[in-house]
Amino acid sequence: MLAKTLRNPLFWLCLIGLALASVLPLWVSGYILGLLTVAYYFGVFSMAWDLLFGFAGEVNFGPTFLIGLGAYTAGILNGHGVGIPLCLLAGTVAAVIGGLVLALPALRVRGPYFGLTTVVAVLILQNLIVVFADTTGGEIGLTVPDVISIDAATNYWIALGFMGVSGLILYAIAVSPVGLILQASGQDPVEAGALGFNVAKHKLAAFCVSAVFSGLAGALFVFYMGTASVGTLVDVSVGVQVIIGAVLGGRRTIVGGVLGAVFLIAAGELLRPLGSLSTFVVSAAALAVILFVPAGLLGILTRQGRHA
């Protein structure tokens, strides 16, 4: 296993990328660090989504349901005087519980119905946030009293470290026997079941793992931003960005989600002078990569795109 990992060019590519990223605070501005910090959290969102879709084959159109649960739970508790560590734990637990409540009935359906169920869950969460505006801040947003740090470099290193650990754990799961079962279940659940694998159990486990990282990343993101709102965390358009980041970076690669998220954040910022046209340009570029290089940006870097 170790020898195979050391021979994998993706391992060395990730190692070099993390090494270079770790020294960026020494020579780039706080503004760039802020953009990358946001991109790293979105990278975790995309990696968690890729485990469920890329391997388990379940189209989750509502990743922001789990992200929002983790973020708002942590933010609301912090507003009532609870410390950041406990808020992070509570946000993660809330995402897992919410994920179980959603997944148990949703995994009983197949095809597009699972995806539609996740979209409805996001819409319900949005409405609950608005209805209970006294607690959640409603459409205005929720401001949290505490932040992890006011130093850009510290926030950057925390996001980078969290992203690195998350990627390592998720990738280890993906290449483990569990990941292979998930992949087989996603490609042909009937045949996988005939071989004796409990497809529903493994997919439920994948959903819970995805919920853990989505909820914790959402909670951390709140304490970085200092605020939570529907438009930045729960909106369907945010979920679309998470999905595009995962597919653009490279489906069924886990770590490709980071590359896709960084590309989307960086491209959107560089093209900001174009105004509303910037969204069209970034979307067109992403669509071109998805259509013509199925292996994604990571496939291009590892010279695998031509063999996809």
Side-chain angles (χ1 to χ4, degrees):
M1 180 71 178
L2 179 59
K4 183 179 180 180
T5 301
L6 293 176
R7 291 195 301 268
N8 190 343
L10 179 59
F11 170 77
W12 295 105
L13 182 65
C14 293
L15 199 62
I16 293 171
L18 285 173
L20 293 175
S22 65
V23 298
L24 281 180
L26 302 178
W27 55 279
V28 301
S29 66
Y31 174 72
I32 295 177
L33 292 180
L35 288 176
L36 289 174
T37 300
V38 173
Y40 293 159
Y41 283 122
F42 269 81
V44 177
F45 298 154
S46 293
M47 288 192 294
W49 182 87
D50 190 34
L51 179 69
L52 189 62
F53 175 63
F55 289 84
E58 294 294 345
V59 184
N60 175 15
F61 288 126
T64 53
F65 174 72
L66 303 174
I67 296 167
L69 282 177
Y72 270 91
T73 299
I76 291 170
L77 288 177
N78 187 246
H80 287 82
V82 181
I84 290 179
L86 287 178
C87 290
L88 295 177
L89 176 60
T92 305
V93 171
V96 173
I97 294 175
L100 282 172
V101 172
L102 173 63
L104 284 173
L107 287 175
R108 296 179 180 273
V109 297
R110 295 183 178 180
Y113 297 105
F114 178 85
L116 291 175
T117 302
T118 58
V119 172
V120 171
V122 173
L123 298 178
I124 291 174
L125 180 60
Q126 288 179 347
N127 288 327
L128 288 175
I129 291 172
V130 174
V131 170
F132 296 99
D134 292 341
T135 302
T136 64
E139 296 178 336
I140 298 175
L142 175 70
T143 301
V144 297
D146 300 324
V147 292
I148 296 176
S149 176
I150 60 173
D151 180 63
T154 300
N155 285 318
Y156 174 85
W157 276 316
I158 290 173
L160 178 64
F162 175 64
M163 180 196 71
V165 173
S166 299
L168 178 63
I169 296 173
L170 289 168
Y171 183 76
I173 293 174
V175 298
S176 70
V178 174
L180 296 177
I181 294 173
L182 283 175
Q183 189 170 339
S185 301
Q187 293 177 348
D188 193 336
V190 176
E191 184 174 348
L195 292 173
F197 298 121
N198 190 324
V199 175
K201 182 183 73 174
H202 283 88
K203 288 190 175 184
L204 182 61
F207 205 99
C208 289
V209 172
S210 179
V212 167
F213 288 96
S214 297
L216 181 54
L220 282 168
F221 190 64
V222 162
F223 288 116
Y224 166 66
M225 298 294 293
T227 183
S229 67
V230 171
T232 58
L233 284 170
V234 187
D235 194 75
V236 174
S237 62
V238 179
V240 171
Q241 186 175 11
V242 171
I243 294 171
I244 291 176
V247 178
L248 178 62
R251 180 191 171 193
R252 207 178 294 156
T253 63
I254 299 296
V255 294
V258 175
L259 196 61
V262 171
F263 173 83
L264 290 176
I265 297 293
E269 191 63 25
L270 288 173
L271 297 175
R272 185 182 291 274
L274 296 179
S276 59
L277 186 61
S278 64
T279 302
F280 170 78
V281 175
V282 173
S283 300
L287 181 61
V289 173
I290 292 171
L291 289 177
F292 298 107
V293 189
L297 295 174
L298 193 61
I300 296 175
L301 292 179
T302 56
R303 299 180 181 275
Q304 293 174 0
R306 69 187 69 175
H307 303 299

